[in-house]
Amino acid sequence: DKWVEVYDEPRHFVEMDNEFCRVIRFRFPPNDSTLFHRHSVDSFFVFFNSTRCLNEKHGSPVMEIAPEAGTANGACYCTKPIIHRISNVGPNWMHGLDIEIKKLKSPEYKASALAETNNLKLIFDNKTQGGKHMRVYRLTIASGETVSDLKFEFPRLSMCWKGSEIKVLNSLSGDTMETRRFPSTYWWNSRPFVGSIENKGSSEYALIIAEWH
């Protein structure tokens, strides 16, 4: 069957490309399918919706997969490129981000993973066969709650799973920011952050944070 590179697949959209990562959004409705397309760069995936899909890989049986909202997983495409087609057979849109890992400053993390709390969970901690080790955390803050003593002292890609109105205090700079974060948005930041986040909205705030090294 004919195939295209993932960058040319019409349900995949390259939205950000810096020296560290390339962010590709995928989004398509129930009963829709991608073209056969190729992945060849080690990646991790973050899902904003839960649904069910059929994964058709060249040379392999069709597999049913069930992505869950707010989760992450990885793939070793540098050493094992794949050509596949995804069909959405579930009730919701297939929506998430494919983050290609372009550059890491060192082969391994020099610091330990952040300690887990009631609010912060390590949801992905794995090394690809290409030797790229990635950690991904999920931060959740209930309506009216403030989480203090947050320390993100590494370059990171932050992805909003559940949006809300928040107040951010950066103790390093003394800056305070009030803003509204919207679901499925994301941003890159290389500056260290130490401080607190208050959820001033009426619903839970949930953030997925990928730690670069």
Side-chain angles (χ1 to χ4, degrees):
D1 292 325
K2 294 182 179 180
W3 55 271
V4 298
E5 295 290 349
V6 63
Y7 319 114
D8 299 318
E9 205 291 312
R11 294 158 188 81
H12 290 72
F13 312 92
V14 179
E15 294 186 341
M16 190 185 83
D17 193 348
N18 64 22
E19 63 176 311
F20 298 103
C21 67
R22 182 180 295 113
V23 178
I24 306 169
R25 187 182 300 274
F26 51 87
R27 190 172 185 270
F28 50 101
N31 304 312
D32 193 14
S33 300
T34 68
L35 303 178
F36 276 102
H37 58 281
R38 185 176 75 150
H39 296 270
S40 58
V41 179
D42 284 355
S43 304
F44 64 93
F45 297 83
V46 169
F47 300 98
F48 297 128
N49 285 348
S50 298
T51 191
R52 292 182 297 106
C53 297
L54 298 180
N55 186 3
E56 303 176 67
K57 294 182 183 180
H58 272 191
S60 300
V62 177
M63 294 180 58
E64 182 169 315
I65 56 177
E68 294 186 17
T71 64
N73 61 39
C76 309
Y77 292 143
C78 282
T79 51
K80 292 184 177 181
I82 68 164
I83 297 171
H84 72 162
R85 174 171 64 189
I86 300 292
S87 299
N88 186 355
V89 296
N92 302 313
W93 281 66
M94 176 63 161
H95 185 198
L97 301 175
D98 169 5
I99 299 99
E100 294 187 340
I101 308 165
K102 294 174 59 178
K103 178 183 176 181
L104 301 172
K105 289 184 176 180
S106 59
E108 288 288 345
Y109 288 101
K110 295 181 180 179
S112 301
L114 298 178
E116 291 191 315
T117 66
N118 290 336
N119 299 93
L120 186 71
K121 302 297 181 183
L122 181 63
I123 61 171
F124 180 78
D125 184 11
N126 208 351
K127 183 185 290 187
T128 69
Q129 291 182 355
K132 297 182 175 70
H133 187 181
M134 292 301 301
R135 294 178 185 144
V136 182
Y137 305 89
R138 182 173 57 229
L139 174 68
T140 55
I141 306 175
S143 173
E145 182 182 16
T146 299
V147 179
S148 303
D149 300 321
L150 292 171
K151 292 184 179 182
F152 303 129
E153 300 177 289
F154 42 75
R156 59 202 177 276
L157 181 68
S158 301
M159 297 150 279
C160 183
W161 171 32
K162 297 179 181 180
S164 189
E165 296 178 11
I166 60 170
K167 180 178 180 180
V168 181
L169 172 62
N170 190 330
S171 301
L172 295 177
S173 64
D175 294 336
T176 299
M177 177 185 69
E178 294 195 32
T179 188
R180 182 171 184 83
R181 295 294 191 191
F182 293 92
S184 82
T185 57
Y186 57 89
W187 54 97
W188 175 267
N189 202 321
S190 296
R191 296 192 305 169
F193 172 81
V194 176
S196 64
I197 300 177
E198 177 186 357
N199 183 355
K200 298 173 68 76
S202 59
S203 58
E204 183 181 56
Y205 178 57
L207 198 62
I208 309 295
I209 302 164
E211 175 184 356
W212 251 255
H213 58 90

